[in-house]
Amino acid sequence: MSPHILVLGGTTEARELAAELTARPRTRVTTSLAGRVTRPGAVHGELRVGGFGGAEGLADWLREQRVDAVVDATHPFAGTITANAARAAAATGLPLVVLRRPGWRPGPGDHWHPVPSLEAAAGLLPRLGQRVLLTTGRLGLAAFAGLTELRFVVRSVEPPEPPMPPHIRVLLARGPFTVAGETALLRDHRVDVLVTKDSGGAATSAKLVAARDLGLPVVVVRRPPLPDGVTAVPDAAAALHWLDGPHRP
Ligand code: NAP
């Protein structure tokens, strides 16, 4: 029988993995998206969109759809679905692997300020600058809403919604970005501090190089920890290798 693999998606790596898996003979692949983005782009294999209804709902879906293995390829900051996937895999006894791209690391010349949360980032900002490039996503702007004195350039894929800081300019854009483009953006808006999540990956790392070149401080929100006991791999190739190993569905 064809094994059925669920890919929890929303990332480039999830798309890559679905493409690789659907190219294999006798493999059924379903990618699941939360439905946050209006035009998410094509995925290979089957697609389902929307929440499952918590860990229990996900476990029910895994049983109903006769899933044989789960790859959690969600974004490093999508902590709730990752926790739910771990619980649902434990409840159903299914193999689970988390595909998590490595985080960024500071190098010589970087002025990074690691913080545990968006709220902590907001607390630190007034000491670091007045003109902020905020690239932490359109959800979560509420954490910065009280910073009424600061000027924000907010870059996001979809338009942000209130609550948000009063002095805000929105740039709608989707990566990948270049160092030249990011340098121009920081200069044009006279940005003096950058805020980012530690998303990792090459598509959005150019801003870090641009900030280093301009000598700007960067507030880096650390990732939420993975659930205890889960296996994590860094890329789609490693996830395929894992699926071919002792956990082979
Ligand atoms: P989250 O806080 O971890 O999840 C919130 C709820 O959204 C989950 O409990 C689940 O609802 C639903 N959900 C999330 N991912 C899902 C998926 N792949 N398929 C079906 N339901 C899903 O997630 P988030 O941070 O809002 O991110 C939502 C999606 O956007 C994720 O798939 C992630 O890969 C992608 N994304 C997130 C970020 C980020 O910075 N957080 C950045 C880029 C892309 P139920 O409990 O009802 O099942």
Side-chain angles (χ1 to χ4, degrees), residues 13 97-102 232-239:
E13 290 84 351
V97 68
V98 180
L99 194 177
R100 185 106 328 162
R101 69 177 82 123
V233 294
D235 53 31

Side-chain angles (χ1 to χ4, degrees), residues 9-10 32-34 36 48 50-54 74-75 78-81 84 197:
S32 175
L33 299 178
R36 302 275 192 279
R48 68 160 301 285
F52 294 95
T74 57
H75 191 270
T80 306
I81 189 73
N84 289 351
K197 291 176 178 172

Side-chain angles (χ1 to χ4, degrees), residues 128-172:
L128 295 176
Q130 294 297 308
R131 302 181 67 89
V132 186
L133 175 61
L134 194 56
T135 62
T136 49
R138 73 190 162 108
L139 306 171
L141 284 190
F144 302 90
L147 296 174
T148 54
E149 306 294 313
L150 273 53
R151 310 269 149 179
F152 286 88
V153 176
V154 171
R155 183 170 65 196
S156 57
V157 176
E158 306 259 323
E161 287 160 24
M164 56 175 101
H167 302 296
I168 186 168
R169 175 175 288 201
V170 176
L171 304 177
L172 297 183

